[in-house]
Amino acid sequence: MNVADIPVTHTPPGGWSGEFPEPVLAGCTDPIVDGAPDMRGMWKVVEVQVDGAQIHEHRILGAIQRIEQCGDRVTITAGGIIHDMRCDGTAEHGVNDVAEFDKQTPITVVATFEEGVHVLRPVGLPIEVKRWRDGDDLMWQYVGFTCRLSRISTEGE
């Protein structure tokens, strides 16, 4: 199955809760595009840094996210949201969904792969969210903190 054959998924009204929803890109056979970090799997936040210092108590510690990839497409399922995007640098094919904080505020986010880094740029905001591999771990730089995530499962591959 080709990445273009799979309909784009969005966060359900009010978000999801409980068990993770079914994988979106299951059955897709397109290889991950050149230059993209392989972020597939279930990941758990095991370390948080703020301003370069490790924080031992943070709301994001222990959080789990599932990342699926196929071709230039990435789906991130975590915290009640499902962000499904093509990483082609366009707003049209980026994340067109809702924000995690309230599961209702519309967001548009441009997604790219840049030198082995997955970069998200919310339209109209001067921020970037980045994910990249550091050995076996996944790094995630969000507004105000940077996390190290360990793979806990290959679900989503």
Side-chain angles (χ1 to χ4, degrees), residues 54-67:
Q54 186 171 346
I55 304 299
H56 298 285
E57 291 187 27
H58 193 280
R59 65 177 176 79
I60 202 70
L61 268 170
I64 296 175
Q65 51 187 252
R66 179 180 65 211
I67 301 178

Side-chain angles (χ1 to χ4, degrees), residues 5-148:
D5 297 331
I6 301 170
V8 173
T9 299
H10 299 279
T11 300
W16 60 269
S17 62
E19 301 274 328
F20 269 73
E22 290 296 314
V24 174
L25 301 178
C28 185
T29 58
D30 292 341
I32 295 172
V33 296
D34 288 341
D38 186 347
M39 306 180 294
R40 296 174 294 176
M42 295 283 281
W43 299 90
K44 181 177 181 177
V45 176
V46 296
E47 181 181 298
V48 179
Q49 290 188 4
V50 175
D51 297 327
Q54 186 171 346
I55 304 299
H56 298 285
E57 291 187 27
H58 193 280
R59 65 177 176 79
I60 202 70
L61 268 170
I64 296 175
Q65 51 187 252
R66 179 180 65 211
I67 301 178
E68 301 172 70
Q69 285 176 266
C70 186
D72 69 346
R73 192 161 162 188
V74 173
T75 301
I76 301 171
T77 304
I81 55 89
I82 305 170
H83 288 168
D84 188 353
M85 68 206 80
R86 301 289 292 264
C87 298
D88 65 2
T90 69
E92 177 186 2
H93 297 137
V95 177
N96 291 286
D97 200 56
V98 293
E100 182 178 346
F101 75 89
D102 69 356
K103 319 280 188 298
Q104 65 182 9
T105 300
I107 60 169
T108 300
V109 182
V110 174
T112 59
F113 294 120
E114 301 172 20
E115 300 179 20
V117 178
H118 177 242
V119 182
L120 298 171
R121 293 183 177 95
V123 173
L125 296 175
I127 62 171
E128 293 180 336
V129 176
K130 298 179 179 179
R131 285 182 176 83
W132 66 94
R133 292 297 299 270
D134 182 22
D136 290 337
D137 293 337
L138 180 69
M139 302 302 294
W140 173 35
Q141 185 178 57
Y142 197 71
V143 179
F145 59 84
T146 300
C147 299
R148 178 174 298 278

